[in-house]
Amino acid sequence: MLNQVRGTHDLWGDSADLHTTILEQAQIYLSGFGYKEIITPILEWEDLFERTLGNTADIIRKELFRLVSRGDKDKEVVLRPEGTAPVMRAYLSHFMPPQHEKFMYRGPMFRYDRPQKGRQRQFYHVGVESIGSDHPWTEIETIAMALGFLNHLGIHDFQLELNTLGDEESRHAYTNVLVSYFSGCQSGLSAESKHRLLHNPLRILDSKAPEDQPLIQQAPLLQDSLTDVARDHFHTITSTLSELGIPYVHNHKLVRGLDYYSHTIFEITTDKLGAQGTLLAGGRYDKLAMLLGAKKPIPAIGWAMGVERVRLLMESSWKNNASTPAYALIPLDDSCIKASFDLAQTLRKEGFSITMLLEGKVNQKFKRAVSLGSPIALIIGPDEAASQTVSVKDLSSGEQKTMSPQDVIEHLQTQA
RNA sequence: GCGGGCGUAGCUCAGGUGGUUAGAGCGCCAGAUUGUGGCUCUGGAGGCCGUGGGUUCAAGUCCCAUCGUUCGCCCCA
């Protein structure tokens, strides 16, 4: 038997329906905030991500799926690992900056990583990007929308964590403070954090290594390096969230692995999924546009939600009422198939789902009808075919009546 | 990229210290019930024990490799 590609999963039945439901509800819910769907390609130039994510990011160093290049020798094609950079690329080439545009996207992303619970090599994101507005209310509304969407899906057990990275000046100042602090106590750091000190000092703050914890506790806070402008911006957001009754935790240690973030960053986490507890994460990324060649920064904020993680949370409690089961139609022998097919087509025109059972013997067909979840069996044997009638059997009570096709339509309508 | 657990029937899993023909439950098939499912009874099919190599008179069992899976590290929207 051929294995599936590592880190990919087949979905069928209720899981597939739930996956699709999440993607559909995303489009419906987010359009209520004026977000319009944008569909960008799964294939992009590697350059797009190398420029935007920073070449120290793990995503670039070891997690990209690269495709064998055919024509363009010096440019590599990759499967997209995230959605923000492609949306910004599309915005810059098809829209007129700094016009405010709001996009939502949904689709598969790819990262070559070791699979575990809630982490696959092909996974789906639902994401939003609001590009062209630096108003604090853009952040507030975007965050409220994220929480609202999870609630809309029936998820309530999560926590909103929030922090600010400040503007470039704040972040630069803080990085210096932090590097000098950690350099002073370098010998006490874990090996990983020593490495981070050189490449991505902010990341030390969310190290899980036990030996790092006391040093992190004592570390200077980013808050103390903020410029007045950055401080005011963040204060507007936190005070407004409080006013709106949205609970949040100001996590001073929350940082980002990607270079393009500034000001507000946030994560929505759960403790129900083990190590991969981030359901949704995002932030402001005013610098991204310039990395892609814009002459000035373009204010932007977005988030992305892990569809599989959300699905795992919903799976136990979700009731699949989206698709009513198809009614089973049983031709008793081959001579009745044509009459059965005609009836099926008639009923389908009335909007009913009909599945004609062709395989197996008669008793197997009845068994199959039950296991498919059909509440009734529609039966056509030689007698029914000759008299142009249908026998309708209620599979829970066992009652059976013979009636005309017109009466079947009425019968099914009262059932539904 | 690093570490631990697990791969046996369609599914869920048993198979002390190696030992003849590898088991159970559920499901499936047949019959009791030749146009009718569920309950019951009787019978049956179904296994390169993930794959490759090694040790041994003998390997599902021990060793090595590999693939897959799972949990964690790392990383991440």
Side-chain angles (χ1 to χ4, degrees):
Chain A
M1 205 70 80
L2 216 52
N3 285 322
Q4 60 191 352
V5 172
R6 181 167 210 194
T8 65
H9 289 292
D10 299 317
L11 282 185
W12 66 93
D14 284 352
S15 294
D17 288 349
L18 178 52
H19 175 91
T20 302
T21 298
I22 293 167
L23 299 186
E24 283 172 357
Q25 290 302 314
Q27 199 277 322
I28 293 167
Y29 187 86
L30 301 173
S31 73
F33 290 74
Y35 282 77
K36 300 210 168 124
E37 179 154 29
I38 183 166
I39 302 173
T40 66
I42 287 169
L43 301 178
E44 295 278 1
W45 297 118
E46 182 192 15
D47 196 37
L48 173 67
F49 301 107
E50 201 164 275
R51 284 163 66 166
T52 57
L53 301 177
N55 51 17
T56 61
D58 271 24
I59 295 184
I60 296 298
R61 285 184 10 242
K62 56 187 197 193
E63 293 179 7
L64 277 180
F65 274 93
R66 298 187 157 80
L67 300 181
V68 175
S69 176
R70 288 176 183 260
D72 309 87
K73 283 181 188 149
D74 45 355
K75 289 176 105 179
E76 258 189 299
V77 170
V78 299
L79 300 176
R80 61 181 183 190
E82 56 108 34
T84 299
V87 170
M88 182 58 87
R89 176 193 56 67
Y91 171 82
L92 291 173
S93 50
H94 307 304
F95 294 83
M96 178 72 81
Q99 179 76 43
H100 185 196
E101 301 287 345
K102 295 190 280 190
F103 304 105
M104 69 82 63
Y105 61 89
R106 41 186 177 169
M109 306 293 162
F110 303 84
R111 289 181 197 175
Y112 189 91
D113 204 344
R114 190 91 172 241
Q116 64 186 70
K117 185 172 187 180
R119 187 169 80 185
Q120 302 171 193
R121 287 185 174 181
Q122 174 177 331
F123 56 98
Y124 277 71
H125 270 179
V126 162
V128 297
E129 313 294 349
S130 168
I131 306 175
S133 165
D134 62 359
H135 202 288
W137 269 92
T138 304
E139 272 137 289
I140 293 160
E141 189 178 49
T142 303
I143 292 170
M145 179 173 73
L147 296 160
F149 180 49
L150 290 172
N151 287 327
H152 176 72
L153 292 174
I155 298 174
H156 304 279
D157 195 4
F158 54 72
Q159 188 174 50
L160 170 64
E161 297 183 40
L162 192 69
N163 196 16
T164 179
L165 298 174
D167 47 29
E168 194 152 1
E169 195 185 332
S170 318
R171 190 171 169 170
H172 187 71
Y174 182 58
T175 305
N176 285 339
V177 170
L178 205 61
V179 167
S180 69
Y181 167 76
F182 280 121
S183 299
C185 51
Q186 210 182 138
S187 54
L189 285 173
S190 65
E192 279 124 18
S193 288
K194 280 178 192 153
H195 185 255
R196 291 187 186 109
L197 185 57
L198 298 173
H199 297 100
N200 204 343
L202 290 184
R203 273 267 143 190
I204 299 175
L205 294 176
D206 62 1
S207 164
K208 287 178 201 157
E211 62 266 42
D212 292 347
Q213 298 312 313
L215 298 173
I216 291 169
Q217 288 301 321
Q218 302 295 319
L221 293 177
L222 193 151
Q223 210 176 16
D224 300 326
S225 301
L226 291 180
T227 61
D228 291 344
V229 175
R231 192 191 313 277
D232 286 350
H233 183 93
F234 189 60
H235 182 257
T236 304
I237 287 160
T238 52
S239 60
T240 307
L241 287 176
S242 300
E243 251 177 72
L244 293 174
I246 295 174
Y248 66 89
V249 173
H250 183 181
N251 178 353
H252 293 273
K253 310 291 191 300
L254 183 65
V255 293
R256 276 287 177 271
L258 305 185
D259 277 353
Y260 51 63
Y261 285 99
S262 54
H263 288 289
T264 315
I265 56 170
F266 57 95
E267 286 189 16
I268 296 177
T269 58
T270 174
D271 55 8
K272 300 280 184 279
L273 289 176
Q276 306 297 318
T278 304
L279 293 177
L280 183 153
R284 177 167 281 287
Y285 51 92
D286 299 349
K287 281 193 296 181
L288 176 58
M290 287 181 78
L291 297 174
L292 292 177
K295 293 193 182 76
K296 291 188 218 163
I298 298 176
I301 181 167
W303 52 252
M305 181 193 87
V307 174
E308 287 77 12
R309 293 179 188 179
V310 166
R311 178 170 56 78
L312 289 172
L313 280 185
M314 293 174 71
E315 221 145 49
S316 55
S317 60
W318 187 64
K319 294 274 183 295
N320 190 355
N321 49 20
S323 59
T324 51
Y327 293 108
L329 172 57
I330 299 178
L332 291 175
D333 63 46
D334 282 4
S335 74
C336 313
I337 292 175
K338 175 63 168 57
S340 299
F341 179 76
D342 290 343
L343 175 70
Q345 293 293 73
T346 303
L347 295 175
R348 286 168 187 146
K349 270 185 205 152
E350 297 294 323
F352 298 109
S353 303
I354 305 296
T355 181
M356 187 159 65
L357 303 184
L358 294 171
E359 296 300 325
K361 302 196 299 190
V362 169
N363 63 349
Q364 291 171 308
K365 290 178 180 177
F366 278 87
K367 259 187 162 172
R368 184 74 182 142
V370 172
S371 72
L372 288 173
S374 177
I376 62 169
L378 302 167
I379 304 152
I380 294 187
D383 298 347
E384 288 87 349
S387 59
Q388 301 207 324
T389 56
V390 188
S391 290
V392 179
K393 176 167 184 170
D394 184 310
L395 288 172
S396 52
S397 70
E399 276 174 52
Q400 182 168 329
K401 280 184 252 178
T402 301
M403 55 183 84
S404 69
Q406 189 54 44
D407 289 341
V408 172
I409 291 170
E410 283 166 27
H411 183 77
L412 293 184
Q413 277 162 352
T414 59
Q415 283 245 325

